[in-house]
Amino acid sequence: MKSDLIVVCGGGGFIGGHLVADLLREGHTRIRSVDHKPFDEWYQLFPNVENVQLNLQEKDACSRAVKGASVVYNLAADMGGMGFIENNRALCMLSVLINTHLLMAAHEAKVGRFFYASSACVYAADKQTSPEVIALKEADAYPAMPEDGYGWEKLFSERMCRHFREDFGLEARVARYHNVYGPLGTYKGGREKAPAAICRKVIEAKLSGDHSIEIWGDGKQTRSFMYIDDCLKGTKTITHSDIVEPINLGSNELVTINGLVDIVEEIAGIKLKRAYKLDAPKGVNGRNSDNTLIKKYLGWEPSVRLRDGMERTYRWIYDQIVQEHPAGRKFSTAAA
């Protein structure tokens, strides 16, 4: 029902803001967007939505957040790109309080559907040692050896969702996101992920005249990247499905980091000299999404090619950078 209350936790973030916008486009009239950040730091803020600033690590805040809700989307977490994850493991682990308290509050409030945004970082490290990685199936999360800190928090929270469903009847659904990107996301400051970081570096090199770029690692590590529009469609489909086990939500279009730089250079119309920072955080050597189950059960597959999504992302970041820097100001090409 369009009049049922939908709560988006983490609504001030990148994916959460896009989800709120998408729900509004669909005609939903009661949306509560919840985030810990001050309103002026929200990625998107909508006047026709109930916007609430709460610290969801606290149980009472979670109870206030989900009161009267029919559907709860939990996208809230303290996280960022690989640089942030590897250097802030305790902060990432503390996000377990958010999901735990939200599950407790959702159970008490008799919420109809609960969605948890997990991550491909739950997958065992020994299955991601080569750039020529075999696409990761859902079963590859066990025996458990996830990304230290962030991955362990996600895997534990998946189990919490399972047991709240089994023990208390809460209709919890879990998607394992694989590198979501797109416009209106973080592109500087240390929390940005590879697509946005590379776009920013190429743009700064182009505008500064310093035609060089620093790449973390050797550039041979492989990943897949899912455009935000595909993420939103998949998230809503999973939430209202009968799929009770965690399921992959990602693109299976594998690319090296060097290949991603090639794409952005082509979009920008420039070739850059590459310097490789081998001691920088780079994550696993290879990671890709096996979409067999989600295609079989839900008929979902990504619709946006990496090249097309990266062009949209590049154009948005370019406009932001041009607006931020007065004409003639020198740009820094240092990694951030």
Side-chain angles (χ1 to χ4, degrees):
M1 297 290 291
K2 301 293 186 182
S3 60
D4 287 347
L5 176 61
I6 300 175
V7 176
V8 179
C9 298
F14 166 53
I15 300 175
H18 277 285
L19 178 58
V20 171
D22 196 52
L23 292 170
L24 286 171
R25 283 192 294 269
E26 290 181 341
H28 292 279
T29 58
R30 297 181 64 211
I31 302 171
R32 181 181 297 147
S33 183
V34 185
D35 206 288
H36 188 209
K37 297 186 290 292
F39 290 132
D40 61 0
E41 295 180 12
W42 287 30
Y43 289 57
Q44 299 185 67
L45 187 65
F46 302 93
N48 49 341
V49 166
E50 182 188 355
N51 299 301
V52 183
Q53 187 184 349
L54 290 171
N55 180 2
L56 294 175
Q57 290 187 2
E58 300 172 356
K59 172 64 164 56
D60 288 346
C62 290
S63 296
R64 291 171 58 191
V66 306
K67 183 178 180 181
S70 174
V71 179
V72 172
Y73 292 93
N74 179 16
L75 307 172
D78 197 353
M79 57 85 69
M82 192 50 60
F84 180 84
I85 288 173
E86 288 198 5
N87 293 303
N88 296 276
R89 293 189 175 105
L91 288 179
C92 291
M93 287 294 289
L94 283 172
S95 292
V96 75
L97 295 173
I98 298 174
N99 195 58
T100 300
H101 288 147
L102 279 174
L103 283 169
M104 294 170 67
H107 167 55
E108 292 168 3
K110 296 181 171 53
V111 167
R113 290 275 164 153
F114 183 95
F115 173 85
Y116 177 64
S118 187
S119 166
C121 288
V122 303
Y123 284 112
D126 62 356
K127 294 181 171 66
Q128 304 172 80
T129 58
S130 170
E132 291 80 34
V133 65
I134 297 173
L136 294 161
K137 298 180 180 180
E138 286 77 1
D140 290 331
Y142 294 95
M145 192 167 59
E147 183 82 37
D148 199 8
Y150 180 71
W152 276 110
E153 184 274 321
K154 290 296 186 183
L155 194 61
F156 176 83
S157 292
E158 287 188 4
R159 303 299 289 192
M160 287 287 287
C161 289
R162 173 178 177 171
H163 296 311
F164 266 74
R165 175 179 55 81
E166 293 176 338
D167 293 359
F168 303 132
L170 178 63
E171 291 292 349
R173 302 293 184 263
V174 177
R176 291 174 179 162
Y177 287 169
H178 286 250
N179 295 312
V180 187
Y181 75 100
L184 299 173
T186 301
Y187 61 92
K188 62 179 181 178
R191 290 181 183 254
E192 66 275 19
K193 296 185 178 181
I198 290 172
C199 285
R200 187 199 77 240
K201 291 178 181 182
V202 171
I203 292 165
E204 290 178 344
K206 181 182 177 78
L207 295 176
S208 70
D210 180 5
H211 291 178
S212 63
I213 184 171
E214 182 180 85
I215 298 172
W216 286 9
D218 60 11
K220 298 176 183 178
Q221 60 269 37
T222 53
R223 295 290 187 277
S224 63
F225 300 97
M226 173 174 54
Y227 192 66
I228 183 63
D229 291 3
D230 288 325
C231 175
L232 298 177
K233 183 176 180 181
T235 294
K236 291 180 297 181
T237 302
I238 291 168
T239 300
H240 297 284
S241 77
D242 295 326
I243 309 300
V244 296
E245 296 299 325
I247 192 165
N248 280 334
L249 185 59
S251 170
N252 54 7
E253 185 180 348
L254 193 67
V255 65
T256 65
I257 297 302
N258 279 328
L260 193 62
V261 175
D262 290 340
I263 290 171
V264 180
E265 286 180 335
E266 191 268 326
I267 292 169
I270 195 171
K271 290 296 292 183
L272 303 176
K273 181 180 179 180
R274 303 181 185 188
Y276 295 93
K277 186 173 175 59
L278 300 181
D279 61 348
K282 70 179 185 68
V284 296
N285 289 322
R287 177 180 292 154
N288 196 13
S289 177
D290 186 313
N291 291 342
T292 302
L293 287 184
I294 193 168
K295 186 174 182 180
K296 175 183 177 181
Y297 293 138
L298 302 177
W300 180 95
E301 55 185 336
S303 62
V304 180
R305 294 186 313 129
L306 180 61
R307 169 62 173 76
D308 297 335
M310 287 300 294
E311 179 158 13
R312 298 173 199 174
T313 305
Y314 176 93
R315 301 301 175 197
W316 181 80
I317 295 175
Y318 182 92
D319 290 343
Q320 302 309 302
I321 291 177
V322 169
Q323 291 173 16
E324 291 170 359
H325 293 265
R329 178 175 172 179
K330 192 71 172 178
F331 288 81
S332 169
T333 55

